[in-house]
Structures are given as C-alpha cells and as structure tokens.
Amino acid sequence: MKGRAWKFGDNVNTDIIIPYKYKARSIDPKTLAKHCMEGIDPGFSKKVQKGDFIVSGRNFGCGSSREQAPVSIKACGISVVIAESFARIFYRNAINIGLPVLVCEGVLKEVDDGDTIEVDLSKGFVNNLSKEKIIEVKKQPEFLEKMVKAGGLVEYYKKFRRFPW
Amino acid sequence: MQYVSTIDRDFQDKILADQGLTFTEKILSIKRCDESRKVASTDDIIVTQVDLAMAHDGTAPLAIKVLGELGIKRVWDSNKVILHIDHTYPSSSEQIADFHSIMRRFAMEQGCHIQEGNICHQYMLEHFVVPGMLIIGADSHTTTQGSLGAFTTGVGSTEIAAVFASGRIWLKVPESIKVIFNGKLPRGVFAKDLILYIAGKISCEGANYKAIEFTGGAVKDLSISSRATLCNMSTEVGAKAGIVEMDKVTKEYLMQMGRKTMLEVHSGKEAVYAKIVEEDVEKMEPYVALPYNVDSVKAVRDVEGQPIDQAFLGSCTNARFEDLKIAEEILKGRKVKEGVRLIVTPASNRVYKAALESGIIETLLQAGASITSPTCGACVGTHCGVLGCGEVCISCSNRNFIGRMGSPESKVYLASPATVVASAIKGFIADPRDYLR
C-alpha cells in the first residue's frame, strides 16, 4: 500500500473526527465520510485520495465510543491509521470495522505532512519513501491480525461462522 | 474454542482471598471462560463472560444492523441485554425517530429490556448494576457503573453486537492505578473537582488502557452519586474502568434499591499497581477544565470573570439528585443573570420526580432555569441546549472538545454543578464558595 500521509497531532478526539450531530442522523458510511475530521480540517474528505494514510500522535481517537469515527475515516478512502498510540475504544472499533491501525512510536518525527509512505501490514513496517526511512510498528496479537486481514469482525464471522477469539 | 460455563466455587473463593491480586485481576479471573481455574494477570488477553450488555440510540441502531449482517437471530440472553433511548430523547428529527423505532422493534422481537427517557448510566445504577458484575456498554462512559463495585467498560457498536450474540468479549487485563483521596472535602469542593484535578495532574491519556481504583477516606465519605462522577470521568483520562469497591455506602444504596450483591471483590493488600496517586482533598478548591481539553485544568479563581452565554446542569456526569440539591441551595432567593440561560436536565425520571417532590424544581424555575426532560441532548450537541457560533458554556458534563456541544466556534468549560450554577447567577465563571455557607 502506498499513498500520501495526512498528519495530525496528539489527542485527536472523536468529536473532531465525526461530530455527534452527523453521527446521530446517519449510519451510512458515505454520508459520514463527508464530515470526517471536520473539527480540525473541514473538507478533508475531498482532499483524500483512496489509499492515503493518517499519521498522528498520541491517544488518537480519544473520547466517545462512536464507531462512526473509524467508519468515516475508512469511507474517506484512508487505508491505515498510524499513530504513536490509540485510545482503547477507537482501537477496538477500527479493527472491528476493518480499518487497519498501527501503533508506531516516533512516527510523528519521521513523517511530514504530504510525504509518500508505504505500509506493509503483514511484515509490519512503515516505509517513508519521501525520506527513505523505514519505521517499525508494534506487533498486534495474532487473532487481531486475522480479523484485520478478513476485513473486520463481520467479514471474519461471515467467512468462518465464529468470532475470532 | 470450548468455553467454561460453570462457576468454580473453590477457585472463586481462592481468588477473592488472594492478597496479591487487584480488583480487576480478581473479577476478570473469576469471569474468564477461555481457561478454567487460571488467574487473569496483567497484559493477558482473555475471553470473559458478560453479566450485562447495553447500548443506546447513538450505538444500538448500528449494532442491530451488524447483528442482521451476521445473520444472528437471537441475542444470547434477552434478560441481560438493555437498550436505552437517551441520547436524543424525545427525538429531534425524523431520521432519529426512525432509529428509535428500529430499537423498539428489536427489543419487542428479542424480548430484551428497553427504556426511554433516562440517561443510560444513571438508569443502570438505579435498576441493574450490582457489585461483582462485568458489564459491557456501547458507550465510553460505561465506566460510570464501576461506582457500585463492578467492572464496567465501553466498546463500540460492532463489538456490542458480538456481545449481544455471544455473551462474551475478549479483554486485555489492564494494569491498575490507585487514586487515594485523603481528608474531608472542603466547602464548595465536590467529586467533580477531584476528578478534574486528577485529569489536570495525569493528563487525558494518563490512565490509557488501565483501570483506576478510587479509595481513601474522602471516597468512603462520598455517596454513590459522587462516586459515579469519579468513575464517569475515568474514561476522560483514558481508563478502561473506574472502580470504587463495595462498602457500607454501597450496601445501603443496594438495600434502598432492593438489589443483592453478586460478588464482593476487594483488591489484595499486596496487589501491584502501575501507579499510586495520593492526594489530600483538604487542599483542593473548585476547578474548571478549559476548552478544548479535559486536562486543561485551572482553579476557578484563575478564570473567574470569563463571561458565559449558557450554563448547563445535566449529563451522566452530574445531574443526580444531590447535584440538583446543591443547585437549589445556591439559587434559593437568587436569579439567573439576564442574558444567560441555565438549562437543567435531570439524569433520570426518578431524579426528576424526587426533585419535583422536594420542591427543588420549583426553586430552580423561580430562579429562571429552564428544565428539560432527561436526555443526553446538550452534552452531545444534538438538542435541548446546542451552542451557536461564538457562544460560551459552563457545563457540568464531561467533554469540552471542539464542537462537542454544537458549533466548532463555541467554547465549553467543565466544572461542578455548584460552579455552573454560581456562574449562571453572576453571568461569568464564578467561585461557588461565595454562595455556600
């Protein structure tokens, strides 16, 4: 996977990612995508190309349990969210809906907004092509990797007729 | 995978008596069903049985859709599934009314519990939670329910659908942080001030992935309502759970509500903590969290004079009877400043009724407050107090993120109900101690 890095800071919360007023009205991913990151970057969804990445700081996705946050990010075309750390509910939600999330300490220092990066999920690394720098990512438990590979919890269940744990 | 379904009494007794385990390790060891008779130690990934599972109108419609996609026809135990219509209740639009209809239909088909018009966590405390339970809720503030000595945590819609289907969840056993509050609360200082102080001290990610146990003399003195405030905002510092162990106050509350304990769990004396934070509450004062982060905390006196447009007394954090009672004490014989609106949203119908019967509502109305029916409305910016461009609100809710209560150009300051009401009288952020004897 190769694409542009869209860089954000620490503590990007769920109200920034998708305000409740939109989430309350719709569970349609396309509708939600239009308002993705509206709190800090209005029009974000129009700028994103399919396959791009979000690179962010600590505690990404803190706040509410709203699954519409990762849904809106995925529906925008973002392929992976890479962050120094994640808030726990966002992390679970992202995996459950099939949005890969990578914990990558020090990523903010190594990636600038607009850099072209490459991500290999199975080998577990981020390659900043603009800076020719490979950054290692923290390994996920195997059952979560399987769930991500299947495309999320629903897809996993459809395929294997059981939950992955 | 074969799951263990029976409770092993000998193992349970051994775990409960173990002096080396935290509350969380004990409860998760007893509830785990992936292995029998094995202690759940910190960082283990385990599968546990769930005692209760809940979702609300912000998360349930999507969960119901997911259950359909999974092809699951029945929830695992209709008696243990609770749906709440509270986030936008009564509905504010046709789309939301349709979501509510989906929930009512689902509850009817499944025979599960459904309630409308009470904030979910307050309703859970009033009707369902007992010590020793493991509760999963599709809402981040599910941590509130740990105030009754249970392990309670939040997830999203797809995950709650899986819990509704199986009655099980995977959890990573968290480390614990012990927060000890010593001393007696000074006048004008409340549980909300304590948790804001902690947020300021440890930061909004200070307890990420960890469970927080609140203990100490000052916590022992707190009512279940105040303990709920502490546990509620544990999620604002990233915690997986907020816990106050069962004690005399818990027993009295349960007796009043007519419920019995499931398990009395206490951390062992030699349990290991990731961190211990010890504070003397007698040195504390009223605090406020500045926009746009819950951990941007300052003393009220440092921001006194900041003009406000709206004061909001509501939400799962602080809209229980004792909160309305404090508001009454401050507002009696006084008026809300002209040009400022004070919106009061009781947390549940039970709270509303008690406030009506004791004359609190009348006092609030005479002071110029607007009372709404119980809902999450203003706190999540859906209705009953949405902020416009440039408006400033002081609120006793839990989040002050950009756009949380409405316009991205609005600002929210978080404080205790006393500070909210004192500010409503003055028209600017004000110290409640001026009004409390």
Side-chain angles (χ1 to χ4, degrees), chain B residues 310-325:
Chain B
Q310 178 170 305
F312 175 57
L313 203 175
S315 86
C316 55
T317 315
N318 274 121
R320 287 172 268 274
F321 184 79
E322 67 176 32
D323 301 317
L324 303 189
K325 182 87 190 144

Side-chain angles (χ1 to χ4, degrees), chain B residues 330-364:
Chain B
I330 295 173
L331 280 170
K332 197 150 202 153
R334 300 191 174 95
K335 290 272 182 205
V336 171
K337 181 85 175 174
E338 208 183 315
V340 170
R341 50 194 187 270
L342 170 62
I343 297 170
V344 179
T345 304
S348 70
N349 277 325
R350 190 188 174 96
V351 168
Y352 197 169
K353 190 163 172 279
L356 256 179
E357 285 168 359
S358 60
I360 292 174
I361 298 294
E362 197 182 336
T363 305
L364 300 185

Side-chain angles (χ1 to χ4, degrees), chain A residues 27-60:
Chain A
I27 51 175
D28 171 45
K30 282 194 192 119
T31 311
L32 293 167
K34 279 186 210 155
H35 302 286
C36 182
M37 307 305 272
E38 199 171 277
I40 37 173
D41 192 358
F44 175 73
S45 68
K46 285 189 192 139
K47 296 185 279 187
V48 172
Q49 299 287 313
K50 198 171 164 35
D52 283 356
F53 303 95
I54 284 179
V55 171
S56 201
R58 301 189 59 79
N59 205 22
F60 187 88

Side-chain angles (χ1 to χ4, degrees), chain B residues 188 190 192-193 196 286-288 300 308 310-315 318 323 326-327 330-331 336-337 340-345 393-397 405 412-433 435:
Chain B
F190 303 91
K192 180 60 161 282
D193 298 301
L196 287 177
Y287 298 105
V288 51
V300 167
I308 55 161
Q310 178 170 305
F312 175 57
L313 203 175
S315 86
N318 274 121
D323 301 317
I326 301 266
I330 295 173
L331 280 170
V336 171
K337 181 85 175 174
V340 170
R341 50 194 187 270
L342 170 62
I343 297 170
V344 179
T345 304
C393 177
I394 186 151
S395 170
C396 64
S397 55
M405 291 180 70
V412 178
Y413 290 78
L414 303 174
S416 75
T419 303
V420 165
V421 171
S423 305
I425 295 168
K426 290 202 171 159
F428 52 78
I429 294 180
D431 196 318
R433 291 174 295 190
Y435 296 113

